[in-house]
Amino acid sequence: MLDLSRVAGQIGEMVGQLKADGQERQQHLVRALTLMVDRSVDFEKLKRKAAQSKTTFLVAGLVEPLATHTKPAETPTDFSVIATDGSQIDVDRHQSARCYLINIGRIRLDYGKNPRATLESLPRLCADDNALVISGGTREQVVEGALLNIKRSVDECQHLADMSAELPPAQPALAVIDGSLILWGLAGKEFPDFVVEELLDKGFIKCLDDMLKLAKKRPLALASYISFPRSTDVVNALRLVLCPHDPADCDKYCGETNIGKRPCDAVAGVQDRDLFANLLADSERSALFTSQSKIVKENYGKHWVNFFYMKLEDEIARVEIPEWVAQDTAKLGMTHALMLDQCRRGQGYPAALAEAHEQAVVTGADRENFQQLVEILMADEHMTQTTSAKSRSKKTRWV
């Protein structure tokens, strides 16, 4: 049990530091906003510099001029929005039954002449040897923890692709995923190549391929939604404006310089959402940008992740879309309009995602009931149950 009285003083110090940092960050924000609207900044030159520089931070690829702001297109009369979300019960190594469960919430909302809502919760128990590991030749990787989170994301995308195929072919539709289109869980991790191939190439990217095939024949767009984003990709592009070297090379020119003393630190601490909260009017979207993350460059191909920011009544949201949506003016406009419409219907958060979450969520009580049901059914079959001393200790407190 956490003793709050012992940490209260530390919280007070943290709040004081945040206040002091906030004053400096406000000065940096003013500098960043000035750069965003500075017409003397050569956009094409900055675009080339962003592509050629070697930086220690992630810089957004530039597609449209920085200060671009676009009003939403008209919302179609009849349209559908589909969304998925998921949760899981991880492998419990203290229990005798080795298994995990993935629960996917699926939502389809039809608007217009024939309004309809379809809400589903689809739990899947995985306990056989093939489902508990990912195999590559003679090697195996156990599916649990971070890897189970990634597998769940792949399942969410697979269900979204399946639902897309069931939509009326002529009806405009938006398919929505919660969070990022980028499988960050695989980025920077030392997973074997066969794991990346199974989950990304044969899993997530394969689902995107299926959706692209459908989108070539019907008005279908795909997007992911990130609420309260903490990204700094666009601010980092402004760092290149301040860098006197072209192309920039952080290690070569500033490797020995302390953080806070570099020319680009004049915009340090500012987040992208701070910029667009000041630049965008309500409902507008920002310029388009592209992700330059390594995992996207190496694996996403025709699904290269683009993104824009959108101003809502209470926050700035980040919307990520694959390249084939970004390059189609009609689908880009529809994505902006329908995502905004969903947020209005959901009181600031996409209604379809909120409902998908409700269908997917697994509570602490659900986890306990699940484990008890497993134990009861095993006992009915007279199966020996071996649990750890730690597990038994939690059930029988003795102090």
Side-chain angles (χ1 to χ4, degrees), residues 148-168:
L148 180 55
N149 288 336
I150 300 168
K151 185 172 178 57
R152 189 196 74 200
S153 297
V154 175
D155 282 8
E156 291 172 12
C157 196
Q158 180 62 64
H159 278 276
L160 204 61
D162 294 344
M163 294 170 69
S164 297
E166 298 166 359
L167 291 167

Side-chain angles (χ1 to χ4, degrees), residues 89-92 97-101 125-127 132 370-371 374:
I89 297 176
D90 207 338
V91 175
D92 187 342
R98 184 170 177 76
C99 61
Y100 63 83
L101 181 143
L125 179 64
C126 299
L132 292 170
F370 170 78
Q371 292 295 353
V374 170

Side-chain angles (χ1 to χ4, degrees), residues 13-26:
E13 292 176 7
M14 179 189 71
V15 171
Q17 186 61 49
L18 288 174
K19 183 178 180 181
D21 292 345
Q23 294 171 349
E24 182 180 58
R25 194 158 49 246
Q26 184 61 31

Side-chain angles (χ1 to χ4, degrees), residues 309-322:
Y309 290 91
M310 184 173 69
K311 187 168 186 178
L312 307 168
E313 184 176 347
D314 296 322
E315 73 164 341
I316 295 291
R318 172 166 162 151
V319 178
E320 295 183 348
I321 51 179

Side-chain angles (χ1 to χ4, degrees), residues 47-65:
K47 185 177 179 179
R48 176 185 53 76
K49 187 175 181 179
Q52 297 178 349
S53 294
K54 297 178 181 178
T55 59
T56 55
F57 37 77
L58 187 61
V59 176
L62 307 182
V63 180
E64 297 175 315

Side-chain angles (χ1 to χ4, degrees), residues 96 371-385:
S96 56
Q371 292 295 353
Q372 288 178 7
L373 184 58
V374 170
E375 293 173 8
I376 290 171
L377 293 179
M378 289 183 70
D380 288 346
E381 296 296 328
H382 307 290
M383 296 176 65
T384 302
Q385 298 183 51

